[in-house]
Each structure stands twice: as structure tokens, then as C-alpha cells.
Amino acid sequence: VDAAELGLRLRGASAGIDLAAFHMDKRDVILRDSAGFNIRGGHTSHRGLEYDLDWTFAGDWTLAAAGTFARHEYDFTATVEQGEQITSGNDIDTAPRELHTLRLQYSVKDLAAELEWLFVGGYWANAANTARYPGHDLANLRITWQLHPSWSLGLRVMNLLDTAYADRADFVTIGGLGSYRYFPGRGRAAFVELAWRED
């Protein structure tokens, strides 16, 4: 692996920003294709920008964002099992170019709440870059009440809008025929937590 990274950090009384630009070349990589076969001797290239921002306003509110813009590419050409074609310069399958999260947080006395938005950008579902997963958006809600110095009550609602999405999606070709394969994410789920912490 050959890698370089350049970072910038700025901090103020109510806001902060972290930026990091990176470039990485990997050689002798072992990859796994959509049919589960290992491919050895692969070369890949990775470059992008990561960010982390936060801003506290109106005293009790914080807006925070983090994410990455990146390009992950094959840097070699090969035909693998089941005839799948890897071409130098193609995006690595199941590697989105964008990942982002935005959080609105409120905290006052014994109450803390957070509304979170997660974005996974679209990505190619196969190495040949002919089948695509469109990406998805998710919303989560977290609330915590401090009932006592040692006790807290929490509520988490994950996938608040009950969005249908895939944790991972790929495109499998067997015998010249191809089809999408989805690993579905969990639907809306709520969790209640009662926690005790010793002072």
C-alpha cells in the first residue's frame, strides 16, 4: 500500500471543521467476486475527500455533518470466474462514491435528542459496471432522559420512515444470465433502554 493524506483542522468557539484529502494505491490485493470466488493479484486505486463539521447555535442546538466523496477504482484488467470482466478504470463494485450523515442535536438539562439522516450514494453492483444500485436515505431518532444521576432512559427509533433499502446489493452472473441480489436492511425498529451507571 502506498498512501498519502493531507488534513486541515479549524476550531472556533461554536464551530469546527476537519478535512482530509487522501490518495491510496494497493497492490497484490485479494478480491472476492459476486459469486464468492477469490481473485488474487489485484491492483486498486482510492482517492477522495473526507469532512467533519459541527456548529452549536441557539445555545442548546448542534448541527453536525460528516461524510466522504471518494473514487475507488480497479487498476488492473482480468476476466474472473463466471466470465465477469474487471476493467482498469472501472469503479470497484459495491463502493459508493458518496457517504454522508447529518445530525441535528438538542441538549438541555436532563434531556438529549438527536435526529439523524444517513445517505449512501448509488454504486455499481458488478465489476463490469453495467448494473447499478441507486443508493438510499435513512432517518434515525434517539432520545435520552437522565432520570437520576445514575439512571437514564433512552428511546431509539432506527429507520424512522421505514425505508426499504439494501445493506449491500450486487449483481450475480451465472451461466450467462444475471440477476440482482439484495441483502435487505432492517425495517423500522424501536428500542427502549434503561441504563444504570455507578458514579
Side-chain angles (χ1 to χ4, degrees):
V1 175
D2 294 319
E5 183 174 312
L6 179 64
L8 172 68
R9 173 172 290 175
L10 299 172
R11 283 282 175 261
S14 61
I17 179 171
D18 289 276
L19 298 173
F22 64 89
H23 184 91
M24 178 186 298
D25 288 317
K26 299 171 71 176
R27 298 174 306 280
D28 299 318
V29 178
I30 298 175
L31 304 169
R32 182 175 289 250
D33 69 9
S34 60
F37 292 97
N38 288 334
I39 306 161
R40 60 185 177 87
H43 295 182
T44 60
S45 176
H46 313 263
R47 61 188 183 276
L49 176 70
E50 297 176 345
Y51 68 91
D52 195 338
L53 316 169
D54 62 82
W55 172 44
T56 300
F57 62 98
D60 304 319
W61 294 86
T62 299
L63 190 63
T68 180
F69 299 92
R71 183 83 189 270
H72 308 278
E73 295 177 306
Y74 291 112
D75 200 17
F76 73 111
T77 298
T79 301
V80 297
E81 296 287 343
Q82 308 298 331
E84 189 171 13
Q85 180 66 41
I86 293 176
T87 302
S88 182
N90 275 4
D91 281 15
I92 296 174
D93 47 304
T94 70
R97 293 189 183 186
E98 292 186 47
L99 296 168
H100 305 288
T101 180
L102 181 65
R103 297 180 306 275
L104 179 62
Q105 300 164 328
Y106 177 73
S107 180
V108 58
K109 284 192 174 182
D110 300 328
L111 174 68
E114 175 183 88
L115 182 62
E116 178 184 50
W117 167 68
L118 300 172
F119 171 77
V120 175
Y123 55 79
W124 295 109
N126 61 349
N129 287 186
T130 59
R132 191 163 177 81
Y133 174 71
H136 58 261
D137 299 270
L138 295 176
N140 301 313
L141 176 66
R142 300 176 183 89
I143 302 173
T144 303
W145 294 273
Q146 195 67 42
L147 304 174
H148 178 273
S150 299
W151 290 92
S152 65
L153 180 65
L155 170 67
R156 288 183 294 129
V157 183
M158 311 306 288
N159 193 0
L160 184 65
L161 303 178
D162 202 23
T163 302
Y165 72 101
D167 276 329
R168 185 169 68 86
D170 59 20
F171 189 83
V172 181
T173 302
I174 299 176
L177 299 175
S179 64
Y180 283 93
R181 180 174 60 175
Y182 298 102
F183 298 82
R186 175 182 283 180
R188 183 189 297 118
F191 304 88
V192 176
E193 177 184 74
L194 181 64
W196 175 79
R197 182 179 62 190
E198 186 177 0
D199 292 336

